[in-house]
């Protein structure tokens, strides 16, 4: 497998989810951020940027937009007043409920050509590759 194969898989996934995400009235980046906040209580801006590998400016702009539309809210952290806790609002949950697992849905469809054992191996290989990629990235910084 070459890098182009991985890139194409990622592109097909994006194409699959893109239309549904747009119909929900949010951008792909906002979808990633809302999904992260939905699954991580007490999330904060730097945590989101680091976990999703997005630059802080992109996250800051997306958070302002999401907050203005009432999809998320920021709550001052009483333990660290310089850090806001991000939570998804009920309106935000409604916006993403049908698309929260869009990429998991896509992957399940793609993996349907594999046996259960092959799926397990694939997940194991992907996890190992991800760990190695993180290690290489950390060595560069």
């Amino acid at each position: 497998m070459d890098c182009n194969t991985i890139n194409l898989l990622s592109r097909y996934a994006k194409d699959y989810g893109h239309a549904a995400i747009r119909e929900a009235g949010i951008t792909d980046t906002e979808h990633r951020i809302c999904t992260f906040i939905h699954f991580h209580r007490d999330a904060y801006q730097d945590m989101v940027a680091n976990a999703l590998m997005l630059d802080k400016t992109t996250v800051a702009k997306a958070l302002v937009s999401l907050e203005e539309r009432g999809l998320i809210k920021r709550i001052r952290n009483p333990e660290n007043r310089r850090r806001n806790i991000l939570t998804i609002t009920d309106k935000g949950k409604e916006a993403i409920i049908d698309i929260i697992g869009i990429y998991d849905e896509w992957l399940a469809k793609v993996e349907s050509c594999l046996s259960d054992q092959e799926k397990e191996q694939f997940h194991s290989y992907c996890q190992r590759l991800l760990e190695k990629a993180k290690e290489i990235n950390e060595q560069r910084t």
Side-chain angles (χ1 to χ4, degrees):
M1 179 181 339
D2 59 25
C3 235
N4 190 49
T5 303
I6 294 169
N7 192 24
L8 285 171
L9 282 168
S10 177
R11 184 68 196 168
Y12 280 123
K14 273 186 143 182
D15 287 350
Y16 181 86
H18 186 75
I21 290 168
R22 289 290 178 180
E23 283 177 25
I26 60 176
T27 68
D28 293 325
T29 299
E30 291 170 343
H31 172 261
R32 292 177 65 200
I33 291 170
C34 283
T35 300
F36 184 85
I37 294 170
H38 177 76
F39 287 111
H40 296 85
R41 293 196 182 276
D42 298 333
Y44 51 91
Q45 187 170 326
D46 288 346
M47 175 193 280
V48 171
N50 292 334
L52 300 179
M53 295 184 71
L54 297 169
D55 69 68
K56 292 177 183 181
T57 303
T58 299
V59 172
K61 287 178 183 178
L63 291 175
V64 167
S65 176
L66 290 166
E67 188 173 31
E68 285 174 351
R69 289 181 286 157
L71 302 176
I72 65 154
K73 62 181 174 179
R74 301 177 207 224
I75 302 166
R76 179 78 57 199
N77 183 340
E79 296 172 18
N80 182 347
R81 298 192 49 79
R82 292 179 295 163
R83 184 177 286 169
N84 291 317
I85 297 170
L86 305 170
T87 60
I88 191 157
T89 64
D90 289 339
K91 183 178 177 182
K93 288 176 188 173
E94 285 178 28
I96 67 165
I97 196 70
D98 292 333
I99 57 169
I100 200 161
I102 194 86
Y103 295 115
D104 292 333
E105 176 185 302
W106 175 84
L107 185 58
K109 288 180 179 185
V110 170
E111 288 180 332
S112 69
C113 66
L114 301 175
S115 69
D116 288 343
Q117 182 181 358
E118 289 170 327
K119 288 177 194 176
E120 251 182 66
Q121 288 175 325
F122 175 68
H123 292 189
S124 175
Y125 294 151
C126 285
Q127 190 59 43
R128 285 174 45 198
L129 291 169
L130 180 60
E131 288 170 10
K132 187 63 175 179
K134 285 179 184 177
E135 178 185 317
I136 291 168
N137 193 51
E138 287 171 1
Q139 290 172 354
R140 286 185 359 165
T141 56

